[in-house]
Amino acid sequence: MKASLLLAAALASLSVGCTSVSSPDDDTDDTDGARPAPSCAYVVEYDGRTYLGRAETDVPVGKSLGAATRPACDDTPGDGDDGEGPALMTAFAVRGVDPAVAVAVAEDPGEYRLVVADSVRELPPELRKVTGHS
């Protein structure tokens, strides 16, 4: 039960993505209109679903599923750079896990990051095995 609460908290914090932090009574004088924002969450879009990144990078991958995308993100608008553009990557099946639940994406050759569908509220047993949370 404790693990599922931690997962829920982690997924909730990741689901905010790139949002601006401001309040209506914020009287900070910023002449260019830019306000600090939290860092961009690790979000991947694949097969019409949104997946949220996890820390696991050593996952058992299966076959290539096709193209996935990390959307563009600019977590500090007005700072003089354009932020990160969209990143194209390949999604891979995670052995024993339905791709509607989780996939792995290739970040570097031989290194795959686990991403879990944002609709998943509790890791199913087959995914807990992969992440070591049995």
Side-chain angles (χ1 to χ4, degrees), residues 56-116:
E56 291 86 0
T57 57
D58 184 24
V59 294
V61 296
K63 69 177 184 170
S64 172
L65 298 173
T69 306
R70 278 195 62 203
C73 183
D74 185 3
D75 65 352
T76 52
D79 69 347
D81 76 23
D82 294 331
E84 298 176 18
L88 298 176
M89 51 186 51
T90 302
F92 292 85
V94 176
R95 280 189 242 138
V97 178
D98 182 344
V101 172
V103 296
V105 291
E107 289 197 308
D108 292 314
E111 187 170 302
Y112 304 92
R113 183 166 183 171
L114 179 65
V115 291
V116 177

Side-chain angles (χ1 to χ4, degrees), residues 34-56:
R35 299 211 186 267
S39 294
C40 295
Y42 194 96
V43 176
V44 173
E45 295 170 351
Y46 165 71
D47 197 30
R49 293 181 199 88
T50 300
Y51 294 81
L52 305 175
R54 291 185 44 104
E56 291 86 0

